[in-house]
Amino acid sequence: MVVEAAVPGNQKQRAATFQALHAGAPFVIPNPWDAGSARVLAALGFEALATTSSGVAFTLGRLDGRVTLDEVVQHVEALVGATDLPLSVDLENGYGAEPESAGLAVTRVAEAGAVGGSIEDYDPAGHLYDLPHAVERVAAAVEAARELGWPFTLTARAENHIRGNPDLEDTIARLQAYEAAGADVLYAPGLKSPAEIRAVCDAVSKPVNVLARPGLTLAEIVDAGAQRVSVGGSLTWTAVNALAAAATEIRDRGDFSSLGDGSGIHQWLA
């Protein structure tokens, strides 16, 4: 069912903006974990945002992979309402192994205001999907995205490198198959070097998202061919680690010197 008539004009504009970003200069898409962090990132000048499954889970006091689709939809609604930026959603495996689940996940977050999303080829039960089944899942997600009647940007993820199987050849084969199935963006989290990134980017024609890591600079990632750079849950853990460090100083030494003063909050949330 095409739902174009029901789509708010600002969502169509966000979708067009997000699509255009993938055809322009390479860009960073940071990952907020709640509405407040989304507002801060928007105020700092970033052009688009993406959710992080681990960050969403943390806001609920859970580990990654333990959030339902309904809860993700609620999270998307909160982030979409917090800024005017395009939002892409980490949809994990689509909250079900069957292709229909991937398609439903796309439809649900689009209805909540998202203009992009990713589907991965790893099952929470602990295994990668066989390639034919993984391709069926991407194809179902692509079909759901196209039925929206406006440009929802679908990212297909090959999870090898963060799931104990750093087989670059298989990763490339998977991404090529997902491109053939219609994915708009391709993503293999866990690539560790410019050489690995370049091998992936040279093997496909669609834009490639790369997960940032402390040992790589933005210039190195872009020079290797990436169009989009995300940070996953890392900003969440940056904030949480700072909280834990300050709280530890209070608990162990009675030292309050690392407490923040919130002096920038009015500027960020204005």
Side-chain angles (χ1 to χ4, degrees):
M1 178 182 68
V2 175
V3 296
E4 181 177 4
V7 179
N10 63 343
Q11 187 177 15
K12 291 183 182 179
Q13 182 57 53
R14 294 187 202 201
T17 298
F18 196 47
Q19 185 181 50
L21 283 172
H22 292 85
F27 66 102
V28 175
I29 183 168
N31 304 73
W33 61 94
D34 61 9
S37 57
R39 292 283 299 274
V40 170
L41 293 168
L44 291 173
F46 290 97
E47 298 178 280
L49 302 173
T51 70
T52 159
S53 63
S54 60
V56 176
F58 175 76
T59 67
L60 298 173
R62 303 176 198 163
L63 294 174
D64 196 8
R66 299 184 180 180
V67 179
T68 68
L69 177 56
D70 286 342
E71 290 168 331
V72 169
V73 168
Q74 292 175 350
H75 182 72
V76 168
E77 291 171 344
L79 266 62
V80 167
T83 83
D84 292 327
L85 298 181
L87 180 71
S88 185
V89 182
D90 180 350
L91 291 172
E92 303 182 70
N93 74 323
Y95 310 97
E98 296 308 311
E100 293 79 9
S101 296
L104 176 63
V106 167
T107 301
R108 290 285 308 279
V109 297
E111 291 172 346
V115 298
S118 63
I119 292 291
E120 63 190 46
D121 57 8
Y122 179 79
D123 192 285
H127 61 87
L128 293 162
Y129 295 117
D130 291 338
L131 183 56
H133 184 62
V135 169
E136 288 180 13
R137 289 165 36 78
V138 171
V142 168
E143 181 179 2
R146 301 299 177 260
E147 287 180 351
L148 295 169
W150 48 270
F152 184 98
T153 300
L154 194 285
T155 300
R157 292 175 48 151
E159 298 284 290
N160 270 333
H161 287 258
I162 61 170
R163 304 297 183 181
N165 185 43
D167 183 335
L168 187 60
E169 183 176 345
D170 183 65
T171 294
I172 289 173
R174 285 174 175 266
L175 293 177
Q176 289 174 330
Y178 303 158
E179 178 177 10
D184 302 301
V185 179
L186 303 167
Y187 179 20
L191 300 178
K192 295 181 178 180
S193 68
E196 288 183 337
I197 296 168
R198 186 172 293 106
V200 167
C201 293
D202 287 348
V204 298
S205 62
K206 293 292 181 66
V208 172
N209 184 96
V210 170
L211 180 64
R213 53 188 305 118
L216 291 175
T217 67
L218 177 60
E220 289 173 325
I221 294 171
V222 169
D223 286 347
Q227 174 64 24
R228 191 176 84 186
V229 181
S230 58
V231 301
S234 295
L235 285 177
T236 308
W237 312 134
T238 298
V240 172
N241 288 339
L243 178 153
T248 299
E249 289 297 306
I250 294 169
R251 182 196 66 193
D252 294 348
R253 299 180 176 83
D255 182 354
F256 300 101
S257 63
S258 58
L259 291 179
D261 63 5
S263 58
I265 197 71
H266 294 288
Q267 176 182 355
W268 296 328
L269 302 188

